[in-house]
Amino acid sequence: MTPLPIVQHPDERLRRKATDLPLQRLADHEFQKFLDRMIETMFAAEGVGLAANQVGEPWNLAVVSTKDGPLVLINPKIIRRSLRKETSEEGCLSVPGVWGEVSRSILVKVTAYDRQEHKIDINAEGLFARIIQHEIDHLNGILIIDKAKNVREAGREKNNDL
Ligand code: ZN
């Protein structure tokens, strides 16, 4: 499989709010192949997360890299977030070469479906929580350049774009 092209800012598809995926689509073999391609695209780009609109699809879903392997989040929703926040530098595969400090909740509780249509509850913290918040921002049409401080442009010397 070849990686999918990644949509780059200022493409307006990055500004659209995602549409919830009808879960019956997950029974479609072609759709499962698309999810595999999203994962492959994330790894090929050396990213740690990728939202569907970053590959030009309107669906409310994202893939994230975890220490236990890639995780597909279908129709994810943050149902609780800690008031305590932490600021850290982030990059984005759709805004290459730009870095900025983004404040995020340290802990988030998320509900979603996995690719087998099982409902999942996730208690994420630290970098995992940051990645999920970054991807859910994408699914709401929000980019790091909307909220980052101390934005700098640089070469792609780091490999943890989201
Ligand atoms: Zn991003």
Side-chain angles (χ1 to χ4, degrees):
M1 281 191 284
T2 40
L4 298 158
I6 295 177
V7 174
Q8 307 281 304
H9 170 69
D11 193 303
E12 63 144 21
R13 288 172 291 180
L14 295 170
R15 295 308 193 172
R16 289 189 198 141
K17 202 169 153 47
T19 304
D20 271 353
L21 181 77
L23 294 179
Q24 65 267 26
R25 290 292 302 273
L26 294 170
D28 177 357
H29 180 65
E30 287 302 312
F31 197 82
Q32 289 289 335
K33 277 197 349 208
F34 163 70
L35 295 176
D36 287 335
R37 281 190 86 190
M38 274 191 72
I39 291 167
E40 189 194 5
T41 301
M42 171 178 71
F43 287 138
E46 299 183 308
V48 292
L50 189 68
N53 58 350
Q54 291 185 276
V55 291
E57 292 294 325
W59 304 118
N60 186 14
L61 67 91
V63 296
V64 297
S65 179
T66 79
K67 60 179 166 37
D68 301 316
L71 179 65
V72 179
L73 298 175
I74 308 284
N75 301 340
K77 278 179 190 58
I78 294 176
I79 56 170
R80 204 182 302 164
R81 61 174 84 229
S82 65
L83 293 175
R84 259 187 80 203
K85 293 189 172 188
E86 191 170 60
T87 297
S88 187
E89 193 165 69
E90 289 181 19
C92 179
L93 294 171
S94 292
V95 195
V98 173
W99 297 85
E101 292 173 3
V102 183
S103 172
R104 304 273 190 199
S105 293
I106 294 172
L107 303 161
V108 288
K109 183 167 183 166
V110 177
T111 63
Y113 289 86
D114 68 13
R115 64 190 295 177
Q116 280 88 34
E117 231 181 289
H118 300 125
K119 196 159 197 290
I120 49 175
D121 291 302
I122 298 164
N123 288 296
E125 64 176 285
L127 179 62
F128 186 32
R130 176 171 295 277
I131 296 168
I132 288 177
Q133 289 171 86
H134 179 113
E135 300 315 325
I136 290 178
D137 273 357
H138 271 302
L139 297 169
N140 286 307
I142 297 164
L143 296 172
I144 54 167
I145 46 176
D146 303 338
K147 46 170 65 175
K149 298 203 171 94
N150 298 322
V151 174
R152 67 185 175 90
E153 295 192 32
R156 303 201 49 204
E157 78 273 27
K158 285 167 86 177
N159 288 330
N160 54 352
D161 290 6
L162 308 163

Coordinates of all heavy atoms in Angstrom, one line a residue, residues 49-51 54 90-95 134-135 138 142-144 161-162, ligand 1:
G49 N 0.0 10.7 15.3 CA -1.4 10.8 15.2 C -1.8 11.4 13.9 O -1.0 12.1 13.2
L50 N -3.0 11.0 13.4 CA -3.5 11.5 12.1 C -5.0 11.5 12.1 O -5.6 10.4 12.5 CB -3.0 10.6 11.0 CG -3.2 11.0 9.6 CD1 -2.3 12.3 9.2 CD2 -2.8 9.9 8.6
A51 N -5.6 12.6 11.8 CA -7.1 12.7 11.8 C -7.5 12.5 10.3 O -6.8 12.8 9.4 CB -7.5 14.1 12.3
Q54 N -7.1 15.1 7.6 CA -5.7 15.3 7.2 C -5.4 14.4 5.9 O -4.3 14.6 5.3 CB -4.7 14.9 8.3 CG -4.7 16.0 9.4 CD -3.6 15.6 10.4 OE1 -3.8 14.8 11.3 NE2 -2.5 16.3 10.3
E90 N 4.5 21.5 20.1 CA 3.8 20.5 19.2 C 4.1 20.9 17.8 O 4.3 22.1 17.5 CB 2.3 20.5 19.4 CG 1.8 19.9 20.6 CD 0.3 19.9 20.7 OE1 -0.4 20.0 19.7 OE2 -0.2 19.7 21.9
G91 N 4.2 19.9 16.9 CA 4.2 20.1 15.5 C 3.0 19.5 14.9 O 2.2 18.8 15.6
C92 N 2.8 19.6 13.6 CA 1.6 19.0 12.9 C 2.0 18.6 11.5 O 2.6 19.4 10.8 CB 0.5 20.0 12.9 SG -1.0 19.4 12.1
L93 N 1.6 17.4 11.1 CA 2.0 17.0 9.7 C 1.3 17.8 8.7 O 1.8 17.9 7.5 CB 1.5 15.5 9.6 CG 2.2 14.5 10.4 CD1 1.5 13.1 10.3 CD2 3.7 14.3 10.0
S94 N 0.2 18.5 9.0 CA -0.4 19.4 8.0 C 0.1 20.8 8.0 O -0.3 21.6 7.2 CB -2.0 19.4 8.3 OG -2.5 18.1 8.0
V95 N 1.0 21.1 9.0 CA 1.6 22.5 9.0 C 3.1 22.2 9.2 O 3.7 22.5 10.2 CB 1.1 23.3 10.2 CG1 1.5 24.8 10.0 CG2 -0.4 23.2 10.3
H134 N -5.0 17.0 20.4 CA -4.6 17.5 19.1 C -5.5 17.0 18.0 O -5.9 17.7 17.1 CB -3.1 17.2 18.9 CG -2.5 17.7 17.6 ND1 -1.5 18.6 17.5 CD2 -2.8 17.3 16.3 CE1 -1.2 18.9 16.3 NE2 -1.9 18.1 15.5
E135 N -5.7 15.6 18.0 CA -6.5 15.0 16.9 C -7.9 15.4 17.0 O -8.6 15.7 15.9 CB -6.3 13.5 16.9 CG -4.9 12.9 16.8 CD -4.1 13.6 15.7 OE1 -4.7 14.0 14.6 OE2 -2.9 13.7 15.9
H138 N -8.3 18.7 15.4 CA -8.4 18.5 13.9 C -9.8 18.2 13.5 O -10.3 18.8 12.5 CB -7.5 17.4 13.4 CG -6.1 17.8 13.1 ND1 -5.8 18.7 12.2 CD2 -4.9 17.3 13.6 CE1 -4.4 18.8 12.1 NE2 -3.9 18.0 13.0
I142 N -9.7 22.7 14.0 CA -8.8 23.6 14.7 C -7.4 23.1 14.5 O -7.1 21.9 14.6 CB -9.1 23.6 16.2 CG1 -10.5 24.1 16.4 CG2 -8.1 24.3 17.0 CD1 -11.1 23.8 17.8
L143 N -6.5 24.0 14.2 CA -5.1 23.7 14.0 C -4.2 24.3 15.2 O -4.6 25.3 15.8 CB -4.6 24.3 12.7 CG -5.2 23.6 11.4 CD1 -4.8 24.4 10.2 CD2 -4.9 22.2 11.3
I144 N -3.0 23.8 15.4 CA -2.1 24.3 16.4 C -1.8 25.8 16.2 O -1.7 26.5 17.2 CB -0.8 23.5 16.6 CG1 0.0 23.4 15.3 CG2 -1.1 22.2 17.2 CD1 1.4 22.9 15.5
D161 N 5.4 14.7 15.0 CA 4.3 15.5 14.5 C 3.0 14.7 14.7 O 3.0 13.5 14.7 CB 4.5 15.8 13.0 CG 5.6 16.8 12.7 OD1 6.3 17.2 13.7 OD2 5.8 17.2 11.6
L162 N 1.9 15.5 14.8 CA 0.6 14.9 15.1 C -0.3 15.1 13.9 O -0.4 16.1 13.3 CB 0.1 15.5 16.3 CG 1.0 15.5 17.5 CD1 0.5 16.5 18.6 CD2 1.0 14.2 18.1
Ligands
ZN1 ZN -1.9 17.8 13.4

